[in-house]
């Protein structure tokens, strides 16, 4: 399931699409041509000029006109879609086997780039840099990669380890489930299955701050438009199978400049 907003709409999607405006349900479903394949799909989203974009485990990306409930394009991907984001005019689609394809939304005839992420294991999340120069990806193996889209900036690509804890002489590695960019400073936050949130300065390759750990996994993060608040979804993500766990919760915390501002 995912939720996002386009204009004045809130969109909620699993195998169906529910459109809500000001608390009133306007449309109960969009009939998907591959409904059976999508029932177990991991759906993700992006918006470009008011278009809803979904990616699925059926190895496709689909463009929708949410106003008419009609599909307006289907584009095959190399493998299951695990995460994606819109970065300026580009759609970045992360698939299985660490691959990601960059599509120019102005010309979807063929991929703009076909690349392999600087991660050792499966991509879990991705977010676009506010500068629109590239994206940040998080993996299931406690690692984050910065990937720049244009060839001339490829030398800036790098990856680093995070969301890991020492347990005696062993290192416990947790998935990175969420990435969110601060709208003002261009720094970013990551949330992991260790229940921690850290903020990072990607340009300086340094951690800025680590918040006190929550009781369970961090599933999603989002800053408000001014960057003064951080919304945190804490939810057990079945990393250790079925077991008792804390209730799902959404936390809103105030963010100070010290926690997100790059250090000179």
């Amino acid at each position: 399931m995912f939720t996002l907003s386009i204009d004045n709409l809130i969109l909620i999607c699993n195998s169906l699409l529910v459109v809500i405006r000001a608390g009133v349900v306007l449309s109960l479903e969009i009939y998907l041509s591959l409904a059976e394949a999508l029932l177990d799909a991991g759906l993700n989203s992006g918006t470009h000029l008011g278009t809803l974009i979904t990616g699925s485990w059926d190895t496709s990306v689909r463009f929708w006109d949410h106003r008419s409930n009609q599909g307006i394009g289907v584009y095959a991907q190399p493998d299951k879609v695990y995460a994606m984001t819109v970065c300026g005019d580009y759609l970045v689609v992360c698939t299985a086997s660490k691959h990601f394809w960059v599509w120019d939304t102005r010309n979807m005839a063929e991929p703009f780039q076909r690349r392999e992420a600087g991660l050792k294991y499966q991509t879990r999340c991705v977010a676009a840099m506010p500068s629109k120069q590239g994206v940040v990806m998080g993996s299931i193996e406690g690692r984050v990669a910065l990937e720049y889209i244009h060839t001339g900036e490829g030398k800036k690509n790098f990856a680093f380890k995070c969301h890991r804890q020492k347990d005696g002489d062993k290192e416990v590695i947790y998935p990175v489930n969420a990435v969110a960019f601060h709208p003002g400073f261009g720094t970013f936050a990551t949330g992991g299955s260790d229940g921690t949130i850290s903020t990072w300065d990607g340009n300086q390759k340094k951690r800025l701050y680590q918040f006190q750990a929550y009781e369970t996994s961090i599933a999603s993060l989002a800053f408000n438009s001014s960057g003064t608040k951080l919304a945190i979804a804490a939810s057990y993500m079945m990393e250790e199978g079925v077991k008792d766990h804390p209730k799902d919760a959404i936390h809103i915390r105030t963010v100070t400049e010290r926690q997100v501002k790059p250090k000179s």
Side-chain angles (χ1 to χ4, degrees):
M1 176 179 288
F2 68 77
T3 63
L4 72 153
S5 62
I6 300 177
D7 300 327
N8 295 320
L9 298 178
I10 296 174
L11 306 181
I12 305 171
C13 188
N14 43 32
S15 59
L16 301 176
L17 181 64
V18 178
V19 181
I20 302 172
R21 189 198 309 268
V24 178
V25 176
L26 297 180
S27 176
L28 289 179
E29 62 185 85
I30 280 181
Y31 294 98
L32 303 177
S33 59
L34 290 177
E36 291 184 2
L38 289 167
L39 288 177
D40 296 321
L43 293 173
N44 301 275
S45 61
T47 59
H48 182 70
L49 300 178
T51 302
L52 171 68
I53 306 172
T54 61
S56 170
W57 283 16
D58 71 353
T59 72
S60 74
V61 162
R62 295 166 180 262
F63 283 44
W64 305 88
D65 183 345
H66 65 85
R67 294 157 294 194
S68 64
N69 289 3
Q70 297 296 317
I72 55 178
V74 181
Y75 306 96
Q77 306 299 307
D79 213 322
K80 293 179 179 179
V81 178
Y82 286 156
M84 66 184 190
T85 190
V86 172
C87 184
D89 290 320
Y90 298 98
L91 173 67
V92 179
V93 182
C94 303
T95 67
S97 303
K98 303 183 297 178
H99 293 119
F100 70 97
W101 282 16
V102 180
W103 296 81
D104 187 334
T105 58
R106 298 162 297 184
N107 179 12
M108 295 290 290
E110 61 180 24
F112 175 71
Q113 293 178 0
R114 300 175 176 88
R115 290 167 55 176
E116 184 171 318
L119 301 168
K120 292 187 175 182
Y121 294 91
Q122 174 188 316
T123 305
R124 173 64 62 85
C125 56
V126 62
M129 299 174 185
S131 65
K132 311 304 181 187
Q133 293 177 314
V135 297
V136 169
M137 303 175 181
S139 81
I140 61 171
E141 179 253 349
R143 196 179 298 265
V144 164
L146 279 73
E147 299 281 351
Y148 288 81
I149 291 176
H150 296 287
T151 305
E153 297 181 336
K155 60 184 179 182
K156 297 181 182 179
N157 295 346
F158 74 97
F160 62 90
K161 299 177 182 178
C162 54
H163 295 281
R164 300 169 181 233
Q165 297 179 3
K166 289 290 185 181
D167 183 10
D169 58 350
K170 297 180 181 178
E171 184 178 51
V172 182
I173 301 172
Y174 296 89
V176 181
N177 301 318
V179 178
F181 274 92
H182 188 274
F185 295 121
T187 54
F188 61 92
T190 60
S193 291
D194 57 349
T196 68
I197 300 166
S198 293
T199 56
W200 308 87
D201 181 347
N203 292 327
Q204 297 297 323
K205 304 180 182 180
K206 291 182 179 180
R207 179 159 60 188
L208 299 172
Y209 191 82
Q210 181 170 309
F211 296 95
Q212 184 175 355
Y214 289 81
E215 292 183 345
T216 190
S217 305
I218 305 303
S220 186
L221 297 170
F223 286 99
N224 67 343
S225 59
S226 64
T228 57
K229 304 289 184 183
L230 178 64
I232 302 156
S235 177
Y236 178 59
M237 299 185 69
M238 303 295 291
E239 298 92 341
E240 299 177 3
V242 178
K243 69 173 188 177
D244 291 337
H245 56 82
K247 290 183 178 180
D248 297 346
I250 295 177
H251 307 272
I252 308 294
R253 70 178 304 150
T254 299
V255 177
T256 66
E257 282 197 2
R258 181 175 66 90
Q259 296 164 341
V260 293
K261 185 177 180 179
K263 297 177 181 177
S264 55

